Amino acid sequence: MNTEKILDQHFILFYKGNFEESPASDLCSIVAKHMDQKFPKGFVKKFVYVLLELVQNIERYSLRTEESNDHTLIYSDGNFFHVITENFIANDRIDKLKDRLHAINSRQSDELNKLYLESLNSEDFTEKGAGLGLIDIARKSENSLGFNFETINDKFSLYTLHVQIPVREKLNTTEVLSVYELNSFFKDKFKLIESAFYYSGDFSNKFLISLLAMFKSSKRNEKLALSSVFHHIVIELIQNVQRHGNKTEGKVPGWFSIEWLKGQTKITTCNAIPEEKIGPLERKMKMINASSDADLKALQLKVLQEEDSVGGVGLVDSSLLIRPNKMSYFIEKSPKFSYCLTLEAIINNE
């Protein structure tokens, strides 16, 4: 899947990691901040409720193993908001869960409402609240629940759940991608990564605040997530997208990702950029990467005095903070977006 296809989408969020760290409310906050300016409050409230139920379902019931790749994908194609969750589940729980899902999908809207009320007092169907939550998700999504169980071994299977909520205030998009194709793409992209976050949407300050709040709570056990170096680089790279990205239809097409590696953390941004900024940017990046620490500190002072500097002092600051690593960049020509710029910063955790 190429960069242009990804940048042309309205919203994508993928999170893979330890859901015991309770990222549910943080993910919901990020999604809500993106939706607030585009959709009625009632729709935002309904979608966030469904998302919270789905992510908490992973938090509470996933069978965690060394092979586990629990994740959530949220995707808006302009017609629907999709959520896919995947987690391992014990094989001895599958038959009962399948019966619940088939029972829910076989009922019409009014029947679901009746079933929901009946289930409030049913100990059997509301074991751990799972049955009741699934009924409510189906009621609010107004669609059948998509699900699949893939056997991993004799003890557990991979449980995939797909929910889609129709968007009445439809948004135009050049190409609608299959949510399952996207899910496979991100699973493969982060296959060897224990924990990863990927976002493509509105790069507003509200998003940035929600993102940093998520790292403080969900990644509180990782020292780097709370460090000033990590936060500084995240802020600078996202603000670089805000300041220098090429706007299309009122937004900057781009994406942001973090990969928590063993001993390192990789932060990446990609955004559309106008052609006139390519030359100055390449010269600045080559100069930064060829400079010593002393030269970079001198360059900081020089850049601060420039009124219109491509990349600004932020790239110089970030390059100093990740030393001895160097910031890498990649420029790709795009028929729709002129050019796309990818920046990558790797921080050593120790």
Side-chain angles (χ1 to χ4, degrees), residues 12 16 30 41 50 60 92 142 170 180 186 206 208 217 225 260 267 280 284 304 308 322:
I12 301 172
K16 172 185 176 181
I30 291 172
K41 289 183 179 180
V50 171
R60 294 168 182 163
D92 58 11
E142 303 172 26
K170 290 180 170 50
Y180 292 105
F186 286 114
K206 288 183 178 180
L208 181 55
S217 59
W260 286 273
I267 304 170
K284 174 158 285 184
L304 284 170
D308 185 21
I322 66 173

Side-chain angles (χ1 to χ4, degrees), residues 8-11 34-35 37-40 43 75-81 166-176 249 251:
D8 199 35
Q9 304 309 306
H10 294 289
F11 181 83
H34 169 83
M35 297 176 70
Q37 303 301 316
K38 301 175 179 65
F39 300 98
F43 178 80
Y75 167 54
S76 170
D77 61 14
N79 299 309
F80 293 90
F81 264 91
V167 178
R168 291 179 174 81
E169 298 75 18
K170 290 180 170 50
L171 303 173
N172 294 325
T173 190
T174 302
E175 182 176 5
V176 174
E249 298 178 357
K251 62 166 286 199

Side-chain angles (χ1 to χ4, degrees), residues 141-206:
S141 67
E142 303 172 26
N143 277 288
S144 296
L145 306 178
F147 62 91
N148 184 59
F149 297 92
E150 178 187 345
T151 302
I152 303 300
N153 56 36
D154 60 349
K155 293 182 179 180
F156 56 86
S157 297
L158 179 65
Y159 169 39
T160 302
L161 183 61
H162 171 215
V163 175
Q164 56 182 352
I165 297 182
V167 178
R168 291 179 174 81
E169 298 75 18
K170 290 180 170 50
L171 303 173
N172 294 325
T173 190
T174 302
E175 182 176 5
V176 174
L177 301 178
S178 161
V179 68
Y180 292 105
E181 180 184 356
L182 268 179
N183 192 52
S184 296
F185 169 76
F186 286 114
K187 284 174 66 175
D188 185 62
K189 179 179 177 68
F190 300 118
K191 184 177 182 179
L192 302 178
I193 310 298
E194 289 186 4
S195 184
F197 175 90
Y198 181 103
Y199 172 88
S200 177
D202 178 21
F203 284 87
S204 66
N205 286 332
K206 288 183 178 180

Side-chain angles (χ1 to χ4, degrees), residues 36-288:
D36 277 346
Q37 303 301 316
K38 301 175 179 65
F39 300 98
K41 289 183 179 180
F43 178 80
V44 176
K45 184 178 180 180
K46 178 172 71 171
F47 180 76
V48 168
Y49 173 85
V50 171
L51 176 61
L52 185 63
E53 284 285 336
L54 288 166
V55 179
Q56 286 182 337
N57 195 56
I58 300 178
E59 290 180 2
R60 294 168 182 163
Y61 310 116
S62 174
L63 179 67
R64 296 171 184 87
T65 71
E66 291 183 2
E67 301 93 340
S68 181
N69 287 300
D70 295 355
H71 70 259
T72 296
L73 169 65
I74 306 154
Y75 167 54
S76 170
D77 61 14
N79 299 309
F80 293 90
F81 264 91
H82 301 265
V83 182
I84 284 184
T85 61
E86 286 195 357
N87 59 271
F88 283 172
I89 185 172
N91 288 338
D92 58 11
R93 296 188 62 194
I94 291 177
D95 288 343
K96 193 170 185 178
L97 180 55
K98 273 186 180 179
D99 290 342
R100 290 174 179 172
L101 290 164
H102 284 304
I104 291 169
N105 284 343
S106 67
R107 286 167 168 77
Q108 300 297 321
S109 178
D110 57 339
E111 294 175 315
L112 279 176
N113 291 333
K114 183 179 178 181
L115 182 62
Y116 179 80
L117 293 175
E118 291 174 352
S119 299
L120 286 172
N121 298 314
S122 171
E123 293 182 3
D124 178 61
F125 209 84
T126 58
E127 177 190 348
K128 294 186 178 181
L132 188 64
L134 289 172
I135 297 170
D136 213 16
I137 289 169
R139 291 170 67 223
K140 288 182 167 57
S141 67
E142 303 172 26
N143 277 288
S144 296
L145 306 178
F147 62 91
N148 184 59
F149 297 92
E150 178 187 345
T151 302
I152 303 300
N153 56 36
D154 60 349
K155 293 182 179 180
F156 56 86
S157 297
L158 179 65
Y159 169 39
T160 302
L161 183 61
H162 171 215
V163 175
Q164 56 182 352
I165 297 182
V167 178
R168 291 179 174 81
E169 298 75 18
K170 290 180 170 50
L171 303 173
N172 294 325
T173 190
T174 302
E175 182 176 5
V176 174
L177 301 178
S178 161
V179 68
Y180 292 105
E181 180 184 356
L182 268 179
N183 192 52
S184 296
F185 169 76
F186 286 114
K187 284 174 66 175
D188 185 62
K189 179 179 177 68
F190 300 118
K191 184 177 182 179
L192 302 178
I193 310 298
E194 289 186 4
S195 184
F197 175 90
Y198 181 103
Y199 172 88
S200 177
D202 178 21
F203 284 87
S204 66
N205 286 332
K206 288 183 178 180
F207 157 68
L208 181 55
I209 292 169
S210 297
L211 181 70
L212 294 176
M214 175 182 174
F215 296 150
K216 286 182 178 180
S217 59
S218 299
K219 293 296 178 183
R220 58 187 176 274
N221 293 326
E222 298 191 28
K223 293 180 181 179
L224 182 64
L226 302 177
S227 75
S228 59
V229 171
F230 175 81
H231 280 209
H232 184 92
I233 293 174
V234 168
I235 292 168
E236 288 296 346
L237 289 186
I238 290 178
Q239 288 184 338
N240 191 66
V241 174
Q242 294 173 344
R243 288 190 293 256
H244 305 292
N246 194 15
K247 282 193 174 181
T248 301
E249 298 178 357
K251 62 166 286 199
V252 177
W255 57 262
F256 167 86
S257 73
I258 296 184
E259 298 166 60
W260 286 273
L261 312 169
K262 290 184 178 179
Q264 293 181 320
T265 300
K266 181 164 70 174
I267 304 170
T268 309
T269 60
C270 177
N271 61 272
I273 187 170
E275 183 175 4
E276 62 269 18
K277 291 190 176 183
I278 295 298
L281 176 72
E282 282 194 291
R283 289 191 292 272
K284 174 158 285 184
M285 290 305 303
K286 287 178 181 178
M287 178 174 58
I288 287 173

